[in-house]
């Protein structure tokens, strides 16, 4: 009972109901994918999106390069005598700041993506529910890694030398990407909570600017007034920047690493469940 | 309450969903037999999509209850999800990915290993005539191709119950026919299909039972025969050569067909609404007789068409009001006519 119509509009091949019928006979269903496998599949979706829309890598390449150049030459002379000396202090910090700032785009893309019909399909699948969001963030982790590599390369061209060697640099990047993954749950929450892309962007700015600037990324907090020091010294970004700076310099800043991991766990535990509540209700 | 749903794929009782002031679904009772196509017919804003979304576990009902294959859609959502599949009204595939990537992605999410996922995707693309377009991003697909990839994505695993939300809205007649063929093939393999539509002829073509919904309520339910009997057999549209002859023609039709005859604003046009199928004659037989009478009276007919009752007519017959509602709609309900040469 094939319904092959010889003349097809627009060159579209006809539907072959006979082979369709054969395909439908197969009634066996594979077991449901594990939470890990489903998350990785969504991560793969994010990678495919990067492949098809490579423009979205702009914010993890051009923006970080700009940040390194700008801050090195703007502040270098004034703060550390010369840009070459300053970059030794600045690079790990600016790396942390840029990547943490880039995480903000997660909220915007979740907000626009979630409205698409394909999420209805994802939601009607019998899979581990958070895997959609986890996959999202796994794709973003790849973007953060790209940004880190780009910035390190530029930094090294400008004269940055990591005393921690390859191991120190890798450990630093790994910690940064892990923290960013955990921190991004704030953005998934805002992305699902707020109605428009604009409002997500607005709120993100309100959070990200104080959080990244009020840290030890640019200068030593000892030059700040006491009340500000209290905030800066306890900010997660400060802990992260110190940890990454230490790792890349070849120290093993156990305390700062522990603080960073603690903050990461806190972000996931608080904002993960809130995100999932919002996701399920959408 | 009753999880004993022998033979029923869907059973709902008093299903309600409100959005603020709007009662989008306002106490819907449905009983959908397994292995059939069930049509849900209604105009824009009737609550079709909302009903389907609740049954597919995407929206939580605000009242009433529903079982899919005996599983409560709220408490046993995961069991329901394992057996149903949804093709939403608006593209439910990822526009940025290619057709093949979409199918592989979803097959992986259904638990297929990579090689199996690729094979299944390729087979479906082949069966749906999309092999050539497999490597193109879905956003470059035509409307007909989108619908196909969308339906293909829904049958990666043969579902026990398939929801199709307005699968042919916006398609040309050929693409529409192909979607109908797909639906028939799916149902022939034992899958139950719940199909929403704005077109009576679509429900007529595919569904064995039809529920007509309006403003969140089921206003009629039954086999299509029952529904048609309550609505009428359709209408005959005529265009005469000579406007002078219209009163005579109207009179003739009224007597020959026992129909209500309307004179359109166009001075040569006439519409005769055929009465409910009291006699066993088909609408076509009625029409043939009418043409005969007109020819014998020496009235020249330039154009003639036989239309199934439009959604408007169904609504007029069932509710006394037409489909135009204060709620904003996307487009007017159309009136698919089977053109007959004069
Ligand atoms: N998320 C929502 N928020 C607010 N109102 C909604 C929402 N979804 C639907 N509605 C309202 O509920 C009513 C029913 O909508 P629904 O989409 O179910 O209709 P439909 O029968 O599918 O219509 P259409 O033929 O246009 O697709 C409409 O009045 C609509 O405006
Ligand atoms: Mg709808």
């Amino acid at each position: 009972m094939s319904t092959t119509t010889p003349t097809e509009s627009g060159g579209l091949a006809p539907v072959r109901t006979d082979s369709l019928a054969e395909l439908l006979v197969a009634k066996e269903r594979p077991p449901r994918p594990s939470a890990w496998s489903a998350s990785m599949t969504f991560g793969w979706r994010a990678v495919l999106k990067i492949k098809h829309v490579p423009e979205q890598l702009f914010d993890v390449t051009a923006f970080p390069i700009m940040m390194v150049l700008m801050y090195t030459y703007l502040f270098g002379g004034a703060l550390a005598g010369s840009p070459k000396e300053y970059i030794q202090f600045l690079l790990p910090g600016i790396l942390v700041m840029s990547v943490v700032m880039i995480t903000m785009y997660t909220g915007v893309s979740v907000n626009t993506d979630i409205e698409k019909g394909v999420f209805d399909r994802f939601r009607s699948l019998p899979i581990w529910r958070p895997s959609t969001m986890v996959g999202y963030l796994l794709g973003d982790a790849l973007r953060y890694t790209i940004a880190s590599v780009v910035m390190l390369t530029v930094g090294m061209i400008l004269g940055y030398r990591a005393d921690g060697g390859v191991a120190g640099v890798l450990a630093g990047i790994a910690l940064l990407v892990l923290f960013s993954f955990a921190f991004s749950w704030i953005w998934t929450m805002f992305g699902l909570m707020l109605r428009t892309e604009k409002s997500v962007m607005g709120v993100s700015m309100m959070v990200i600017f104080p959080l990244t600037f009020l840290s030890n990324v640019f200068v030593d907090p000892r030059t700040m007034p006491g009340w500000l020091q209290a905030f800066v010294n306890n900010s997660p970004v400060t802990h992260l920047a110190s940890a990454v700076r230490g790792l890349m310099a070849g120290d093993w800043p156990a305390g700062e690493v522990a603080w960073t991991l603690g903050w990461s766990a806190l972000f996931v535990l608080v904002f993960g469940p809130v995100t999932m509540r919002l996701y399920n209700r959408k | 309450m009753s999880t004993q749903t022998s033979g029923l794929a869907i059973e709902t009782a008093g299903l309600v969903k409100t959005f603020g002031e709007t009662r989008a679904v306002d106490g819907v009772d449905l009983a959908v037999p397994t292995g059939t196509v069930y049509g849900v017919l209604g105009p824009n804003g009737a609550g079709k999509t909302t009903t389907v979304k609740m049954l597919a576990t995407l929206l939580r009902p605000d009242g009433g209850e529903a079982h899919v294959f005996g599983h409560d859609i709220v408490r046993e959502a995961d069991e329901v999800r394992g057996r149903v599949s949804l093709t939403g009204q608006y593209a439910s595939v990822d526009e940025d990915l290619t057709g093949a990537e979409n199918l592989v992605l979803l097959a992986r999410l259904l638990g297929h290993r990579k090689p199996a996922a690729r094979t299944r995707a390729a087979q479906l693309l082949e069966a749906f005539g999309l092999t050539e377009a497999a490597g193109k991003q879905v956003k470059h697909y035509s409307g007909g191709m989108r619908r196909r990839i969308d339906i293909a994505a829904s049958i990666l695993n043969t579902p026990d119950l398939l929801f199709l939300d307005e699968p042919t809205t916006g398609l040309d007649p050929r693409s529409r026919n192909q979607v109908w063929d797909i639906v028939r093939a799916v149902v022939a393999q034992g899958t139950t299909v719940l199909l929403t539509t704005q077109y009576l002829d679509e429900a007529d073509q595919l569904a064995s039972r039809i529920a007509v919904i309006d403003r969140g309520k089921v206003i009629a339910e039954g086999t299509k025969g029952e529904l048609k009997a309550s609505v009428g057999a359709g209408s005959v549209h005529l265009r005469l050569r000579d406007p002078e002859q219209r009163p005579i023609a109207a009179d003739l039709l009224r007597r020959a067909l026992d129909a209500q005859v309307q004179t359109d604003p166009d001075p040569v046009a006439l519409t005769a609404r055929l009465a409910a199928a009291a006699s066993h004659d088909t609408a076509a037989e009625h029409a043939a007789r009418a043409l005969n009478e007109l020819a014998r009276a020496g009235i020249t007919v330039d154009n003639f068409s036989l239309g199934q009752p439009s959604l408007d007519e169904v609504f007029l017959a069932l509710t006394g009001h037409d489909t135009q509602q204060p709620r904003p709609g996307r487009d007017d309900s159309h009136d698919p006519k089977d053109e007959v040469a004069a």
Side-chain angles (χ1 to χ4, degrees):
Chain A
M1 47 164 262
S2 166
T3 54
T4 317
T5 17
T7 49
E8 256 308 310
S9 59
L12 191 54
V15 172
R16 295 179 42 200
T17 37
D18 45 353
S19 41
L20 183 58
E22 272 167 44
L23 285 173
L24 287 163
V25 173
K27 290 261 155 85
E28 82 284 357
R29 298 191 177 114
R32 293 172 184 196
S34 64
W36 168 253
S37 151
S39 304
M40 288 308 281
T41 305
F42 280 113
W44 179 63
R45 167 176 183 258
V47 174
L48 287 175
K49 287 209 162 221
I50 294 177
K51 190 182 99 186
H52 288 298
V53 195
E55 300 91 279
Q56 59 178 302
L57 287 181
F58 188 77
D59 55 10
V60 294
T61 50
F63 173 75
I65 293 174
M66 188 192 79
M67 294 283 277
V68 178
L69 293 178
M70 215 169 70
Y71 284 103
T72 309
Y73 290 104
L74 191 65
F75 294 150
L79 297 178
S82 81
K84 215 167 172 88
E85 280 163 60
Y86 186 50
I87 197 164
Q88 210 56 30
F89 172 81
L90 176 77
L91 189 85
I94 202 78
L95 185 68
V96 165
M97 178 173 168
S98 307
V99 172
V100 171
M101 279 181 131
I102 292 166
T103 61
M104 180 170 84
Y105 292 103
T106 302
V108 178
S109 39
V110 166
N111 183 269
T112 48
D113 208 21
I114 200 86
E115 295 302 326
K116 295 183 183 155
V118 72
F119 271 82
D120 275 352
R121 194 181 285 284
F122 293 154
R123 255 192 238 107
S124 68
L125 291 174
I127 49 175
W128 184 57
R129 297 229 117 195
S131 59
T132 323
M133 287 297 143
V134 174
Y136 230 105
L137 298 184
L138 287 177
D140 281 343
L142 178 72
R143 287 163 23 91
Y144 308 150
T145 312
I146 294 173
S148 305
V149 171
V150 167
M151 293 181 78
L152 262 170
T153 311
V154 176
M156 282 167 71
I157 292 169
L158 296 182
Y160 174 73
R161 292 294 170 262
D163 297 327
V166 176
V169 167
L170 287 183
I173 292 180
L175 187 70
L176 173 58
V177 171
L178 182 92
F179 175 87
S180 304
F181 172 87
F183 185 68
S184 296
W185 288 97
I186 293 188
W187 308 131
T188 54
M189 176 187 78
F190 282 131
L192 292 170
M193 186 158 48
L194 301 170
R195 272 174 208 278
T196 63
E197 208 180 321
K198 271 211 178 96
S199 52
V200 176
M201 205 67 195
V203 170
S204 307
M205 294 284 192
M206 294 277 291
V207 175
I208 208 78
F209 272 95
L211 199 68
T212 49
F213 276 88
L214 300 181
S215 70
N216 65 350
V217 164
F218 295 110
V219 291
D220 192 322
R222 271 172 299 189
T223 58
M224 301 171 189
W227 57 271
L228 187 57
Q229 273 192 42
F231 178 88
V232 167
N233 284 332
N234 291 299
S235 150
V237 175
T238 299
H239 288 301
L240 175 66
S242 306
V244 172
R245 201 176 272 143
L247 286 169
M248 290 193 173
D251 308 331
W252 179 240
E256 297 294 355
V257 171
W259 269 109
T260 306
L261 294 177
W263 273 107
S264 303
L266 189 72
F267 285 131
V268 175
L269 290 177
V270 173
F271 298 106
V274 179
T275 296
M276 286 323 298
R277 263 190 91 87
L278 292 168
Y279 177 75
N280 285 333
R281 265 202 309 191
K282 260 273 175 186
Chain B
M1 251 169 278
S2 72
T3 38
Q4 286 309 309
T5 50
S6 48
L8 287 184
I10 302 174
E11 192 177 26
T12 76
L15 209 54
V16 172
K17 182 77 199 179
T18 52
F19 296 108
E21 294 287 282
T22 319
R23 293 182 76 80
V25 174
D26 195 5
V28 163
D29 302 324
L30 292 177
V32 177
T34 306
T36 59
V37 180
Y38 192 92
V40 173
L41 180 66
N44 286 140
K48 303 183 295 293
T49 299
T50 309
T51 305
V52 164
K53 282 193 167 183
M54 281 192 283
L55 293 174
T57 75
L58 296 176
L59 276 179
R60 219 174 210 285
D62 294 322
E65 58 178 86
H67 291 91
V68 170
F69 296 113
H71 298 293
D72 186 289
I73 57 162
V74 177
R75 273 175 284 122
E76 300 170 287
D78 233 35
E79 281 84 350
V80 174
R81 286 182 195 129
R83 301 188 61 178
V84 308
S85 184
L86 165 73
T87 302
Q89 182 171 1
Y90 308 105
S92 31
V93 291
D94 198 323
E95 306 240 307
D96 287 333
L97 305 191
T98 68
E101 285 166 351
N102 265 295
L103 295 190
V104 174
L105 175 80
L106 289 162
R108 297 278 289 140
L109 291 173
L110 289 167
H112 290 279
R113 294 179 170 283
K114 226 177 219 143
R118 289 218 188 93
T119 315
R120 184 81 180 168
Q123 288 169 334
L124 276 167
L125 287 165
E126 171 77 36
F128 279 78
L130 290 172
T131 305
E132 258 176 67
K136 273 206 281 185
Q137 280 174 285
V138 171
K139 66 173 155 214
H140 300 306
Y141 279 23
S142 71
M145 290 157 82
R146 268 164 206 254
R147 269 292 137 190
R148 288 190 194 180
I149 195 78
D150 231 340
I151 298 176
S154 299
I155 57 175
L156 278 160
N157 276 353
T158 310
D160 293 329
L161 171 61
L162 174 62
F163 295 105
L164 294 173
D165 194 3
E166 297 193 25
T168 64
T169 302
L171 296 189
D172 65 25
R174 171 168 283 139
S175 299
R176 192 176 61 166
N177 277 322
Q178 299 228 320
V179 169
W180 288 355
D181 288 336
I182 295 168
V183 175
R184 292 190 186 105
V186 169
V187 114
Q189 298 306 318
T191 296
T192 308
V193 175
L194 184 129
L195 169 116
T196 78
T197 180
Q198 300 187 25
Y199 309 134
L200 184 65
D201 72 325
E202 179 160 284
D204 189 22
Q205 284 284 332
L206 297 173
S208 40
R209 289 188 80 85
I210 298 171
V212 183
I213 69 168
D214 180 36
R215 302 179 189 189
K217 288 191 159 74
V218 177
I219 55 171
E221 205 272 349
T223 63
K224 48 190 176 183
E226 288 164 359
L227 197 67
K228 276 192 166 168
S230 68
V231 169
S235 2
V236 176
H237 307 268
L238 290 174
R239 288 175 62 81
L240 308 177
R241 168 100 17 110
D242 181 2
E244 302 274 298
Q245 294 181 320
R246 188 160 83 163
I248 314 164
D251 218 47
L252 242 158
L253 285 175
R254 207 169 285 131
R255 275 183 287 120
L257 298 180
D258 187 24
Q260 276 179 283
V261 179
Q262 285 173 348
T263 48
D264 296 354
D266 182 344
V268 293
L270 271 177
T271 300
R273 186 167 293 159
L274 302 176
S279 67
H280 286 292
D281 294 357
T282 63
E285 284 163 344
H286 277 296
R289 208 166 59 230
L291 276 179
N292 240 325
E293 299 267 331
L294 290 172
R296 252 196 294 164
I299 299 172
T300 316
V301 177
D302 266 352
N303 189 293
F304 168 88
S305 68
L306 180 62
Q308 289 210 338
S310 69
L311 189 57
D312 270 320
E313 287 162 337
V314 172
F315 273 80
L316 208 56
L318 290 173
T319 65
H321 70 82
D322 59 18
T323 56
Q324 258 70 59
Q325 296 181 42
R327 289 174 187 172
R330 273 197 329 275
D331 55 8
D332 295 338
S333 78
H334 87 177
D335 180 4
K337 289 172 188 142
D338 306 316
E339 292 289 336
V340 177

